[in-house]
Amino acid sequence: MDLLEDAPGSNAHEFTVSELSGAVKRSLEDQFGRVRVRGEVGRVSRPSSGHLYFDLKDDRAVLAAVTWKGQAARLAQRPEEGMEVIATGRMTTFPGQSKYQLIVDQIEPAGAGALMAMLDRRRKALAAEGLFDEARKRPLPFLPRVIGVVTSPSGAVIRDILHRLRDRFPTRVVIWPVAVQGEGCAPQVSAAIRGFNALPAGGAIPRPDLIIVARGGGSLEDLWGFNEESVVRAAADSAIPLISAVGHETDTTLIDFASDRRAPTPTAAAEIAVPVRADLAARLAEAGARMTRASALRIDGPRQRLRDLGRGLGRPAALTEGARQRLDLWGARLEPALRGLVRLSRQRLASRPMPAATLRQFTAAKRMGLGRVETRFDLARARRLERPRDRLKQLQERLDSSIRRAGATARRALAQQDQRLADLTRRMEAALLRGQRQRRDTLDRLDRMRQTLGYTETLKRGFAVVHGPDGLVTSAERAGVTPQFQIEFADGRIEARPATAPDKPRRRGPPPEQQSLL
């Protein structure tokens, strides 16, 4: 029995897809030929075609809107994300995607937008608590050993960060995967920040020295998870310095105010996190060169000063030669002067009348037979007059002692300077030897690199280079037309010819003359 024959017939008209889409389009355009819609501007797109695509939304629905290129140039107010506007236009459908949209030809501002107003109120409330104060922000570490990244592991953001870190200064990175939009974004991001801070130092998972919270650009709705209060408080309470890299340069979220540093893009966050290794090496080399020059100057300066002082000091014996000569001169003059002084004193004493008591003593002594009293009296006076010679001898001894002490002091000073110069010389020689070893190691590394990159090492692995009269032969076709060439191996070159000599071109004669047909 045939089932098609027993099936009841249907009188309903069968529409094609295009017919049904056209009918819906006509019905919608007839019912809503000209409308005014109030809503908040969502995502705005300006492609290179010049058309303007954006969303109108409220708390329950989203309406797609489009302004064609000619109308977009005449708009008095360009729509921006977060603005509350009144859009005037006509409703139509887009059959290619089975969606309806508003063709806008006029836009009037109607307010700042509900979402932006709520975001502004939340920002002011958190700022009043002091979460955005500059005093709370911590300085970033100069060279972090471990960097924690809070982002989606499958997006392009983490690849950009890792690529930039690898180019500037390779550093260990720990990734905490989170959702970067949607309902799970805020709790996962706040849990990741607090989780990094809860890691113990020296544990199985290294505790990061710096945290980067990163996400690519998007609309206000896409970035809304980073405006949640839980995320802002987690960033403000983080004991580890935190860099916020959410969105593009024009995007602003509340985590940017609570973080210790805001980066305009995720790539810029990697540039802020670590310095350039080549720049550090150059600065280190420059500092080493400056230290070497300073050490040389520190040694050469005292050495030259010591030489100058040595030339100015002269020989210790030369300091006393003039004094010795003057002493000998005055010593030779002193003895005749003393003798003259004694003689003059004798004359004065002889011409001076003797006191009565002394005269009585002298008379009594003569009576007693002491005839040599006067002579002994004169000798006693002469011995008293000779005492300056003893004084001169004492002065001579003191002068010799001073000269000896001055010579010993000068010798000790010279010995100390010699010892200091010897110490500085040993230190300079050790620094020069270290510099030579470092340069020798660098030269050895470059030579090994040259040998590794050179083709001679490739020849040792069984390869060969073919040299022709006009240069290298790199193809079989060229080798076939080359009459003779050289093959270079690792241990030398050999002459070679192709297996079959190239055919000589045939010489073509002039074409035969055409004979007459008559």
Side-chain angles (χ1 to χ4, degrees):
M1 183 177 181
D2 193 352
L3 296 177
L4 294 177
E5 295 178 357
D6 295 341
S10 177
N11 294 326
H13 179 69
E14 295 179 356
F15 290 93
T16 64
V17 175
S18 299
E19 290 175 350
L20 185 58
S21 298
V24 173
K25 180 180 177 70
R26 287 190 297 272
S27 299
L28 185 62
E29 290 180 350
D30 292 342
Q31 186 68 25
F32 300 95
R34 186 77 174 172
V35 295
R36 287 168 58 85
V37 181
R38 183 188 184 107
E40 182 182 344
V41 177
R43 182 180 304 179
V44 180
S45 176
R46 297 182 178 88
S48 59
S49 62
H51 307 315
L52 186 62
Y53 299 93
F54 58 97
D55 294 335
L56 293 174
K57 61 183 179 180
D58 56 14
D59 56 343
R60 289 178 295 180
V62 178
L63 174 64
V66 59
T67 301
W68 305 123
K69 179 179 180 181
Q71 296 171 341
R74 294 191 295 269
L75 289 178
Q77 179 70 40
R78 287 293 184 96
E80 296 181 4
E81 188 173 353
M83 292 177 55
E84 188 173 358
V85 299
I86 298 175
T88 304
R90 58 185 178 86
M91 291 296 299
T92 186
T93 63
F94 182 50
Q97 295 183 355
S98 299
K99 59 182 286 188
Y100 62 92
Q101 59 187 3
L102 178 65
I103 307 299
V104 179
D105 55 14
Q106 184 179 355
I107 295 178
E108 301 173 8
L115 291 178
M116 295 299 294
M118 181 176 64
L119 181 63
D120 187 62
R121 289 194 300 270
R122 182 178 297 174
R123 181 183 62 81
K124 291 180 180 178
L126 295 175
E129 296 183 21
L131 299 182
F132 302 156
D133 292 345
E134 291 295 330
R136 296 175 58 92
K137 300 184 183 300
R138 293 165 295 276
L140 303 182
F142 174 71
L143 193 60
R145 295 174 297 177
V146 180
I147 297 178
V149 180
V150 180
T151 188
S152 172
S154 60
V157 171
I158 187 60
R159 291 195 296 271
D160 294 341
I161 292 176
L162 294 177
H163 178 70
R164 182 59 64 184
L165 290 176
R166 192 181 305 112
D167 289 343
R168 291 174 66 85
F169 201 105
T171 307
R172 188 173 184 181
V173 177
V174 179
I175 302 173
W176 195 301
V178 296
V180 292
Q181 69 181 50
E183 295 181 358
C185 173
Q188 292 183 22
V189 172
S190 59
I193 296 175
R194 297 187 186 278
F196 272 136
N197 282 270
L199 290 175
I205 300 177
R207 189 172 190 268
D209 302 320
L210 180 68
I211 298 176
I212 298 178
V213 179
R215 187 205 187 281
S219 63
L220 180 61
E221 292 81 6
D222 296 337
L223 303 178
W224 190 257
F226 297 93
N227 292 319
E228 295 293 341
E229 184 176 351
S230 60
V231 175
V232 176
R233 293 189 180 277
D237 296 338
S238 175
I240 303 174
L242 187 142
I243 298 177
S244 171
V246 178
H248 296 305
E249 189 168 0
T250 57
D251 298 327
T252 303
T253 56
L254 293 183
I255 192 176
D256 296 336
F257 299 99
S259 62
D260 299 303
R261 184 77 175 272
R262 177 185 181 270
T265 60
T267 303
E271 295 176 355
I272 295 173
V274 295
V276 181
R277 181 171 55 181
D279 294 344
L280 292 179
R283 289 172 56 188
L284 184 61
E286 181 182 358
R290 292 176 58 188
M291 182 178 66
T292 302
R293 292 194 299 269
S295 301
L297 291 176
R298 186 66 177 173
I299 295 173
D300 293 341
R303 178 183 295 172
Q304 185 63 35
R305 177 64 176 169
L306 181 61
R307 290 174 181 173
D308 296 340
L309 292 176
R311 286 194 297 268
L313 182 62
R315 295 179 297 104
L319 299 176
T320 59
E321 288 178 352
R324 286 179 177 275
Q325 186 174 2
R326 288 193 299 271
L327 180 62
D328 294 339
L329 178 62
W330 288 106
R333 295 181 180 180
L334 182 61
E335 186 175 357
L338 289 176
R339 290 177 181 176
L341 181 60
V342 171
R343 192 167 47 252
L344 180 61
S345 298
R346 286 178 182 272
Q347 293 176 357
R348 289 179 179 176
L349 288 174
S351 61
R352 182 178 301 174
M354 185 177 298
T358 305
L359 182 59
R360 286 196 297 270
Q361 293 177 1
F362 184 72
T363 305
K366 288 184 68 176
R367 290 176 181 175
M368 293 175 61
L370 300 177
R372 303 293 298 175
V373 174
E374 183 178 359
T375 302
R376 289 196 300 271
F377 180 74
D378 292 340
L379 292 175
R381 288 193 175 185
R383 280 194 297 269
R384 285 197 301 270
L385 290 177
E386 290 176 357
R387 288 180 181 175
R389 181 176 299 175
D390 298 336
R391 180 62 176 171
L392 182 62
K393 184 177 181 181
Q394 294 176 0
L395 292 176
Q396 177 70 32
E397 293 175 353
R398 289 177 59 184
L399 179 60
D400 294 340
S401 177
S402 299
I403 291 172
R404 286 192 298 270
R405 286 196 300 271
T409 302
R411 284 191 296 273
R412 285 195 299 272
L414 289 174
Q416 292 176 358
Q417 293 294 337
D418 289 342
Q419 182 64 32
R420 184 178 179 187
L421 179 59
D423 294 341
L424 293 175
T425 303
R426 285 194 298 270
R427 291 171 57 187
M428 182 183 68
E429 291 176 350
L432 290 176
L433 290 176
R434 286 195 299 270
Q436 289 177 357
R437 285 196 298 269
Q438 293 175 357
R439 288 190 288 272
R440 187 181 299 110
D441 293 341
T442 302
L443 182 60
D444 292 341
R445 288 196 299 270
L446 293 176
D447 185 63
R448 288 193 295 272
M449 184 181 297
R450 177 189 63 80
Q451 293 178 2
T452 303
L453 298 179
Y455 78 98
T456 56
E457 296 297 323
T458 306
L459 295 178
K460 294 179 181 179
R461 295 197 295 270
F463 293 88
V465 179
V466 181
H467 299 270
D470 298 330
L472 295 179
V473 178
T474 59
S475 63
E477 180 182 359
R478 186 176 176 186
V481 299
T482 303
Q484 185 177 1
F485 47 81
Q486 293 181 345
I487 301 177
E488 182 181 357
F489 296 94
D491 56 349
R493 296 188 181 187
I494 63 171
E495 300 288 338
R497 296 176 181 274
T500 58
D503 296 338
K504 297 183 179 179
R506 297 179 180 178
R507 181 176 300 174
R508 295 181 181 178
E513 297 181 359
Q514 184 177 1
Q515 298 180 0
S516 177
L517 298 177
L518 300 178

